[in-house]
Amino acid sequence: MAEIIFRSKMDAKRCFDHLLKCLRYHQNNEDILLLEDRHIVKISESIVRFGEVKEAFYEFIIKIKRDDWFRAILQEKYFFEDPEEQEHIMEIIYSVLEGQREDLAAFIKENGEEAQIREAVEEIFQDHVSFSFDSFFKFRLRPFLKMLESYVEISIDEYKMEQEYQMFIQTLRDFLASRDSKMDTLHLLFDEEITFFDEQFVEIKRGELMKMIDRKLLFNHPVYVDSASIAPLLSIAPKNIHLYTKNPEEPLVRTIKNIFEERVLIKSYKGLRHTKEWIQQKNSAKGNGA
């Protein structure tokens, strides 16, 4: 009979419950026993050789304990003790694990940790002996721990960058709130360069835009404020921005949306021509009427 010895009663209970669930065993099944007072899970020799037991134990490591280890690394190595901060970082970690953040995953070197864990689980159950789960993790799963640390490290960096970005956005929102609008509607075309048009669809040339920029904005935020786009937009502070783009998820488009919020209306790149023609026809009709 194999015995898995845990440091805590809670871990022993979680492992026991997980094995029962995966193997579809009833609580009273004697092939898997929980000795709560000694923090031990016992697995009978008659089933320990089956792949289902090893797979269930592997899943316990990957699906249940991995979360604990991530949080322990956050708290003990990087001193993130606030639960809300931990949750934000955990969300980033799992977005990387689930393949949603390829930009971050590229920084993490994987060395076949899944195969190593499976091999370690296979070996530990071969001899049907008692073993300490903590010792098993510390000595047999050391490469896995290193990989977890790399996920935490890259996610903390991303979290800090996101916090700085949010502070930057809020600072610019505050600046915008103090400005009087110099234009009701501004048309903004995203192409190889950003082109500004006024309400009548007359292009605002670069030199004219530069004259509109509030110099205090560039002086107070020289690193973050782009003089070609963000600075003139904030200085003009239009009540409405019609933004024409091929890619609504482009970083600068998202930043403009985050700063100006409900003032921004995203339109298709092709929609620019139709809007321009409509404005020109409207102006022509007014001229003929006059």
Side-chain angles (χ1 to χ4, degrees):
M1 177 170 284
E3 290 186 347
I4 312 170
I5 305 163
F6 292 89
R7 182 183 296 179
S8 71
K9 182 187 295 187
M10 182 180 72
D11 272 352
K13 180 72 166 64
R14 287 197 298 171
C15 181
F16 174 70
D17 290 342
H18 183 76
L19 292 178
L20 289 181
K21 179 183 175 181
C22 289
L23 300 173
R24 299 179 183 177
Y25 279 8
H26 191 272
Q27 192 87 8
N28 298 323
N29 190 294
E30 294 187 358
D31 284 328
I32 303 175
L33 301 173
L34 172 64
L35 308 181
E36 279 195 78
D37 56 332
R38 293 164 57 192
H39 313 165
I40 292 175
V41 174
K42 284 191 169 189
I43 306 172
S44 72
E45 191 171 339
S46 62
I47 68 163
V48 77
R49 65 181 180 274
F50 295 131
E52 289 87 345
V53 175
K54 296 164 189 173
E55 182 64 26
F57 186 64
Y58 169 80
E59 286 187 7
F60 172 70
I61 293 169
I62 291 296
K63 294 185 177 179
I64 296 177
K65 285 304 298 178
R66 182 176 64 183
D67 198 79
D68 294 347
W69 293 326
F70 275 139
R71 292 180 189 278
I73 294 166
L74 274 171
Q75 189 165 335
E76 295 167 13
K77 186 172 181 178
Y78 295 101
F79 308 106
F80 281 91
E81 297 184 357
D82 181 81
E84 192 172 329
E85 283 193 311
Q86 285 188 11
E87 280 307 313
H88 280 302
I89 297 168
M90 290 295 290
E91 285 175 10
I92 297 171
I93 289 171
Y94 277 96
S95 71
V96 179
L97 285 169
E98 291 164 8
Q100 299 168 16
R101 296 296 301 270
E102 292 182 9
D103 55 326
L104 298 182
F107 293 100
I108 297 169
K109 294 180 180 178
E110 295 191 32
N111 298 309
E113 281 77 11
E114 178 182 334
Q116 291 176 10
I117 296 169
R118 290 187 181 279
E119 184 181 342
V121 169
E122 181 72 33
E123 289 178 3
I124 205 74
F125 277 110
Q126 271 183 354
D127 300 328
H128 312 298
V129 295
S130 299
F131 65 92
S132 160
F133 184 80
D134 284 346
S135 296
F136 172 73
F137 171 66
K138 185 180 294 185
F139 298 110
R140 302 300 299 274
L141 302 183
R142 190 172 295 171
F144 181 57
L145 176 60
K146 288 293 182 186
M147 189 188 75
L148 298 185
E149 288 177 350
S150 66
Y151 274 99
V152 172
E153 185 177 349
I154 201 74
S155 298
I156 287 173
D157 288 343
E158 181 67 13
Y159 171 71
K160 288 179 177 177
M161 288 177 63
E162 288 180 3
Q163 294 299 103
E164 289 176 4
Y165 176 76
Q166 291 304 324
M167 288 173 63
F168 157 66
I169 293 295
Q170 190 56 53
T171 301
L172 298 188
R173 282 177 185 166
D174 294 342
F175 178 89
L176 180 64
S178 67
R179 302 282 299 176
D180 292 327
S181 293
K182 294 182 179 179
M183 197 177 292
D184 282 341
T185 302
L186 181 72
H187 298 275
L188 200 60
L189 173 64
F190 269 67
D191 203 346
E192 292 180 6
E193 294 182 350
I194 300 172
T195 308
F196 288 68
F197 298 91
D198 66 13
E199 293 163 303
Q200 305 307 316
F201 246 103
V202 176
E203 182 180 344
I204 307 172
K205 299 296 184 180
R206 183 64 52 198
E208 192 178 345
L209 283 172
M210 293 303 290
K211 291 176 185 177
M212 293 180 178
I213 294 174
D214 187 327
R215 298 298 155 186
K216 290 184 294 185
L217 184 62
L218 295 179
F219 179 78
N220 292 331
H221 310 284
V223 177
Y224 299 107
V225 177
D226 175 10
S227 62
S229 57
I230 301 296
L233 278 173
L234 286 167
S235 301
I236 297 169
K239 292 179 181 178
N240 299 289
I241 299 172
H242 291 200
L243 196 156
Y244 305 86
T245 179
K246 296 176 183 176
N247 180 14
E249 295 306 313
E250 186 179 334
L252 185 54
V253 173
R254 291 206 314 267
T255 295
I256 292 171
K257 285 169 62 179
N258 286 333
I259 296 169
F260 290 86
E261 300 178 293
E262 71 279 355
R263 301 189 193 198
V264 179
L265 180 62
I266 303 294
K267 294 188 173 183
S268 72
Y269 182 82
K270 292 180 180 178
L272 174 72
R273 181 165 53 85
H274 299 302
T275 306
K276 188 174 181 179
E277 288 173 356
W278 178 79
I279 290 174
Q280 288 172 342
Q281 288 171 6
K282 186 179 176 183
N283 290 339
S284 177
K286 282 182 180 179
N288 293 333

